[in-house]
Amino acid sequence: MNDHGAGGERLTHFVSQEPFNPVIDAELTPEQERFYMASQWRLMWWKLRRHKLAVIAGGILLLLYLSALFAEVVSPYELSHRNRTHIFAPPQPIHLFDKGRFVGPFVYGFDRSVDPNDLRRVYTPNPEKVQPLRFFCSGGYRGADYEFWGLFDGDFHLFCPAEKSATVFLLGTDRLGRDMFSRIIYGARISLSVGLAGITLSFLLGIVIGGIAGYYGGWIDNVIQRFIEVLRSFPRLPLWMALSAAIPAKASPVAVYFAITLIIALLDWPGLARAVRSKLLALREEDFATAAELLGASPRRIIGRHLVPSFASHLIASATLAIPEMILAETALSFLGLGLRPPITSWGVLLQETLNIQAITITPWIMTPVIPVILTVLAFNFLGDGLRDAADPYK
Amino acid sequence: MSWRNAFALALTFAYGLSLSVSAASAQTYTDSPYLKEMGLPPVVERLPATPRVIGDREIGRYGGDLRLIMARSRDTRMMTVYGYARLVAFDDDFEIVPDILESVEVEEGRIFTFKLRQGHKWSDGQPFTTEDLRYWWEDVAKNAELSPFGPPVFLKVEDEWPQVDVIDETTIRYSWSQANPFFLPRLAAPRPAFIYRPSHFLKRFHTNFADPEELNQLQRKFRIRGWAPLHNSLDNLYNNDNPELPTLQPWVNTVRPPSQQFIFVRNPYFHRVDEDGQQLPYIDRVVMNIANGKLIPAKVGAGEADLQARSLFMTHFTFLRQAEEREGYETRLWHNGKGAQVALFPNLNYKDPVWRDLFRDVRFRRALSVAIDRDEINEAIFLGLSQPANNTVLPQSPLFDDEYQQVWTEYDPDLAEELLDELGLTERNKDGIRLLANGEPLEIVVETEGDATEQVDVLELVHDTWLDIGIKLFTRPSQSDVFRNRIYAGETQMAVSAGADNGIPTADMSPSEFAPTEQTQYQWPKWGQFFETSGQAGEAPDLPEAQELFQLYEDWRVATSTDEREEIWHRMLSLYTDQVYSIGIVCCTRQPVVVSQKLRNVPKEAMYNWDPGAHFGIFLPDSFYFAE
Amino acid sequence: MIGYIVHRLMVMIPTLLIVSALVFIIIQLPPGDFFETQIAEMKARGEGVDLNQIELLRRTYGFDKPLYAQYFGWLFGMVQGDFGHSFAHNRPVTELIGERMLLTFIVSFATIVFIWVVSFAIGTYTATRQYSLGDHFATFMGYLGLATPNFLLALVLMYLANAWFDTSIGGIMDDQFRNQPWTWAKAWSVLEHLWIPVIVIGTSGTAGMIRRLRANLLDELQKQYVVTGRAKGLPPRRLLWKYPLRVSLNPFIADIGSILPDVVSGSAIVAVVLNLDITGRMLLEALAAQDMFLAGSFLMFLSVLVVIGTLLSDLALAVLDPRIRLTGGPAK
């Protein structure tokens, strides 16, 4: 090691005068202490908070789920309300100024006519019909009454049209004069919950099956591994199609809803099971697992009480990333006519209407349900990414 | 179809033919340049001695491909429908005339003597003779392996099969001891009863005729076990799915399904000519592309079809009209031939006795009918292009009467309430829904077949006006088979469907749709089944008016004159509509028909109907042609 | 190496057996059979039914036998290359499937190539310019592709292609080229139509691939040897191409196994919307009509396609990466 100072002069001898403290590395600043003493969940939250995109995504999702929860209040019209005089009416944009004068949020009313040549319904905004929106309002127009969650009658809305004869169709109407905006909000209730219900199912399946494989290992693991491999090698959509073709046509809407959820979950659990298994394989070699075993804990207790909590955060991240796929699957199946069927209103059911050429050329607002689909999928992905990063708080 | 009429027609036709024969011998026949250099015999030898002359339309020119779009590979059968070469066929006045046959003689409505055209040939050039009819009857219909259930039932009159006598190569006779008014109409149907087969082609596959060794080899080659399934898979004249199978239709399929495209080329031996002696069809090839039904309107709007009505609906009209000029086609609005576009069928055989009695009470059915605002439905859903109407015959039918169309259709909620009160349905629950005697709310579930969007839309509107009189309507969609089976089993309260299949009958056509005669009649499936199975299944009609309708139908069957039949028809229509056995909502809707600007001889306005009509069939697409 | 191949092939057999059993169970799930569906449909169209023909078919195809007998009949038939009979099309299934599988293969292959090219370009770009505007934009577009429902994207692109380039609506080629021999014009027509399904199916797979490539490349770029190389003054381009990029390309091959099911899935729905002559449409029809042998064979073939694709990618990986070939399993 003589060439250390090659080309240079010799280093001077140096001894530190400070007292030697052998545990200096283990001593913590208060900040560090707070960090090390915090629970895993708290750490995750700190880490996630720094991930701007994930926070925004989370906010959007919260908003979406809240409006699905309070669909009756958020949407100006009841789900099945039809406005016979406004069939295929275009969206009514919200204006603030009328002829240079500030009015507050309002829409222009429509004048209707039918084009004698191509029989098209023509709606022209009438500048005389200024219809200011009302906020936190109570009914007073057709389609305002609802049964909240099918339990209580009500007519309170976030916003309403100006008066009985006025309308507010933010995203236009469909072929029966139903408000697209309201239908999208009500559709969220189904589409968003399919994702949650599906992930719950697949979560349970994944943990149980993956847990068994990972904990016992050996031939059990082998069989389960092989089976997972088979399931993963199936192209999902054709398999979903085949399975949903088997839903009896007689089934009630609720049964169809659960069947679809089940079918979607059935093909999703292998991914989770695999993650669970590999984590378990690693963790069961850890000392605390051995300790628990020596103390006579049952396998169920070891898995459930000791092993699962230690990688739950990872599981939640994976689950979050799996939800959007389920939402898209529901949309695709319903679009193909194999999934949910009217009168259930989901985003996929609404998008079924777009296969009609008119939708794209003449009434493009029929395609608007795609916006919340994209938004939700994006939000779940960003949030999932954030959670995944946050799941390893010490990194 | 009156046998006298048919006889008279046959006579005039024979007379007309003798004229055209002499004319033809003076003028020579010509054919399409498309057939040149195919090594075919001259056209005179390919035509029968007396071809069928198609008149009353523009003389056309040869050439061109007619492009159609269909939704499924199996739709090759639509060319059998459009081609509409039948032993006897409906003409555009909906009278039955001989087509493939030279003449038909009918005696007493029970003895049918068919005369084939001398020298008529299959599309492969082999002669078409009475042997082909005999082969089907003796070796196909009566063969237990090919037909495990025996010959088709329309040939059976009161348990009796026809006596079939081959008289000579071109004459064959079918006779029964009683009249069979259904025989000729079935032969003229869009999906006809094919009582003939190309025997020269099929005998190779028939165990009675083929060499066993060769037959075994053929089974191996086609990978089909058993001679009967093999024979069966090759001989479907209707489905048109075997390009090898000779046909009598104007165009011959050349592609084996499934495919995304089928090409039909002209049949060089086709038996019709125009007044100038040009062999039909004018158009050399029909190109049928297969596309998803929902994409078809888009493809048509992009100018990818020359003649299209299937998969097009009024909802596509705006779009189709807007692309007209750019793509060079016209969107015509033909008349729909159904008795009603949308009708409700209260199930008189519903299993629950309380409800059943209610449905059987005419006052209830009338109340339901007058509580529908048909004008509003017409405006909102059909853009004012339909007519509020009962489920009955259309104005185009000679049997039409305003009374039948309008009785009990005027929107009158007060009258409806009055009728319901009269029925004792005066109690209401807190939502204002009337209660039955047993306390059950008056909630009617109307079932629809598949995702019949239009019908569901109509029901939404009916729902509102019924609610006003205290009746709640629920819509329940189900798949076709389930839909039917539930009705048949009496599990459906009410069904929604199109009205009478034939909205334009003449007195000689069967009035069976207005009497309990078929299980597929949703208002009384069990009564219909009772008749269909000769009393072995179902229930006997027990309402006096329904019994009367049935008796009238029986009278019609044995009636001997058209006047008598007309009389019966009117009594039936009057009784049926007054009793509101089905609640018609609107009729006379339009069917958009897209026709290329160059395509000629397609009617500007006409009926678009399945039976009788065969969609375009009765307008004889072989006489359509492309102008320069 | 040979040992490894044999091992992999042996593993495939039980896999395929399970697949076949699953498929058979699934196609048996719907109540009723093809013939009942057929009768109902014919009645619905008011066309009447030829009961004779139907009874004949029912007898010929042994619908009276117990399920396990039907399964083994089907399985042994498949081993011998007989996939059963399609009732709806009245033809042996083999004749129907061959052509469509070829097109499925072409579309899948083109899509994978598309995914490779796009994710290679974007992945490299974003990894070398981490956190730049372009990086964010590309990442966002990738997510957007992932989030947009395939069918809607396909529909919109199809109408736009018709409006702008006058491409015929739906199908994999213009109608006049169907059933015609291959010519330049026909090939061009196919290309004109192929880009839509490829882009639509591709968009959903590209995002994941870009993400993986970017992450791998970033890891690689932080390694000692790269730092050394940079310090040594290697030109940046050479430094990137010589090793890090090559090493990080592993997922391109390793991930075929996981992309392939998605690509085949995607092609199924896109085919329905775009009216392509590939598996999706016919599978959907077969399922709706309960044409069980046809539907079953489709599912079977699609899985085999995936299983073989995965096998090939594993083998390719083994060739490229001695670690795998020697330890006997892909290093994850």
Side-chain angles (χ1 to χ4, degrees), chain A residues 80 82 84 87 114 117-121 142 175-176 178 249-250 342-343 352 355-358 361-362, chain B residues 294 297-298 314-319 321-322 376 380 383 385 453 457 460-461 464 476-477 479 482:
Chain A
S80 59
R82 287 167 288 108
R84 291 167 203 165
I87 288 173
V114 172
N117 178 45
D118 58 17
L119 301 177
R120 189 163 48 98
R121 294 177 176 87
R142 294 190 51 194
R175 68 192 151 78
L176 282 176
R178 293 176 293 199
K250 271 186 200 168
Q352 241 179 341
L355 195 46
N356 190 330
I357 172 76
Q358 312 262 79
T361 57
I362 296 171
Chain B
K294 296 218 168 152
M314 273 316 287
T315 44
H316 305 126
F317 183 76
T318 304
F319 167 74
R321 178 49 71 82
Q322 285 182 351
E376 190 207 358
L383 286 159
L385 289 176
T453 327
D457 294 356
E460 293 260 355
L461 296 183
D464 287 7
R476 177 182 162 145
Q479 273 178 5
V482 180

Side-chain angles (χ1 to χ4, degrees), chain A residues 209-291:
Chain A
I209 299 177
I212 292 173
Y215 188 81
Y216 290 104
W219 68 269
I220 299 181
D221 181 31
N222 238 325
V223 168
I224 292 177
Q225 277 296 315
R226 193 77 333 116
F227 191 70
I228 288 178
E229 216 164 89
V230 170
L231 275 188
R232 283 171 70 94
S233 73
F234 261 121
R236 288 186 184 194
L237 195 73
L239 204 60
W240 273 326
M241 280 157 67
L243 285 169
S244 34
I247 300 176
K250 271 186 200 168
S252 70
V254 181
V256 172
Y257 172 81
F258 282 111
I260 291 290
T261 315
L262 182 70
I263 287 171
I264 292 175
L266 271 183
L267 291 194
D268 191 74
W269 63 265
L272 274 173
R274 214 172 218 206
V276 172
R277 171 187 167 272
S278 58
K279 283 282 167 194
L280 274 183
L281 281 183
L283 285 176
R284 72 170 181 178
E285 307 299 331
E286 299 269 341
D287 293 344
F288 69 91
T290 319

Side-chain angles (χ1 to χ4, degrees), chain B residues 496-558:
Chain B
V496 63
S497 175
D501 279 333
N502 182 4
I504 44 171
T506 60
D508 290 327
M509 291 179 195
S510 166
S512 62
E513 291 196 78
F514 298 98
T517 53
E518 285 165 40
Q519 195 181 13
T520 52
Q521 294 165 330
Y522 301 151
Q523 67 274 48
W524 43 46
K526 292 191 178 168
W527 296 350
Q529 192 188 20
F530 183 78
F531 171 72
E532 275 186 313
T533 57
S534 322
Q536 285 169 19
E539 295 163 10
D542 51 9
L543 278 187
E545 291 84 3
Q547 286 166 343
E548 191 182 341
L549 281 173
F550 182 73
Q551 190 51 49
L552 285 165
Y553 167 75
E554 288 285 310
D555 293 347
W556 178 89
R557 239 162 53 101
V558 293

Side-chain angles (χ1 to χ4, degrees), chain C residues 254-267:
Chain C
D255 275 2
I256 291 180
S258 60
I259 292 182
L260 207 54
D262 287 345
V263 168
V264 173
S265 265
S267 72

